[in-house]
Amino acid sequence: MVDQPGDDAVRQRADVSLAPVEAGGGTPGDRRAFWKRWSRNRGRPLPPIRPWPRRQWPLLVVLACVVGSLVVVVVVDFRPGTALFAASVLLAAVFRLVLTTRRAGLLVLRSRMVDVTTLAIMGGATLLLALAVPDIR
């Protein structure tokens, strides 16, 4: 039996398609270099991670002031509690202005100037409204 001229080409394509393919691709040295680049340097220890409350102290101080202002609103009167609330928002603006982005923690939302401007306008408007409301007594 004589082979047909197209049988040899089909046989070569079948041999190529059945050849095993490496799962990771590339040489083992390439894969080692990739993982070495992303792995941690074992000679130098990582800096210790501070617990969550110590990392977020600016936010916790502002939230404590807000809770205190709400207590003053409920227990004492509307005006001093709202003024204390405005002061806590202004305190958040000062923290955002003075502290670095890393130290400010969860007070960071956008750029520094946008955060400071927004907090200062909100705190000033709240303070203005607290002082402008007429006393009922």
Side-chain angles (χ1 to χ4, degrees), residues 50-74:
R50 294 181 296 166
W52 183 83
R54 285 189 58 201
R55 285 190 314 248
Q56 301 300 331
W57 68 267
L59 179 68
L60 292 176
V61 169
V62 170
L63 287 178
C65 291
V66 167
V67 168
S69 70
L70 292 176
V71 169
V72 170
V73 165
V74 170

Side-chain angles (χ1 to χ4, degrees), residues 9-106:
V10 171
R11 191 175 303 122
Q12 284 178 355
R13 273 188 287 165
D15 292 342
V16 169
S17 64
L18 295 177
V21 177
E22 288 186 36
T27 64
D30 292 340
R31 288 192 299 268
R32 250 184 269 119
F34 173 79
W35 287 110
K36 188 174 185 180
R37 180 176 31 179
W38 293 105
S39 66
R40 179 170 67 91
N41 185 359
R42 301 273 181 213
R44 201 174 64 202
L46 290 174
I49 297 175
R50 294 181 296 166
W52 183 83
R54 285 189 58 201
R55 285 190 314 248
Q56 301 300 331
W57 68 267
L59 179 68
L60 292 176
V61 169
V62 170
L63 287 178
C65 291
V66 167
V67 168
S69 70
L70 292 176
V71 169
V72 170
V73 165
V74 170
V75 174
V76 179
D77 192 23
F78 167 77
R79 187 177 302 227
T82 308
L84 186 60
F85 178 80
S88 65
V89 173
L90 291 172
L91 178 67
V94 169
F95 279 160
R96 183 64 180 106
L97 181 65
V98 173
L99 297 174
T100 63
T101 302
R102 186 178 178 124
R103 296 261 182 210
L106 290 175

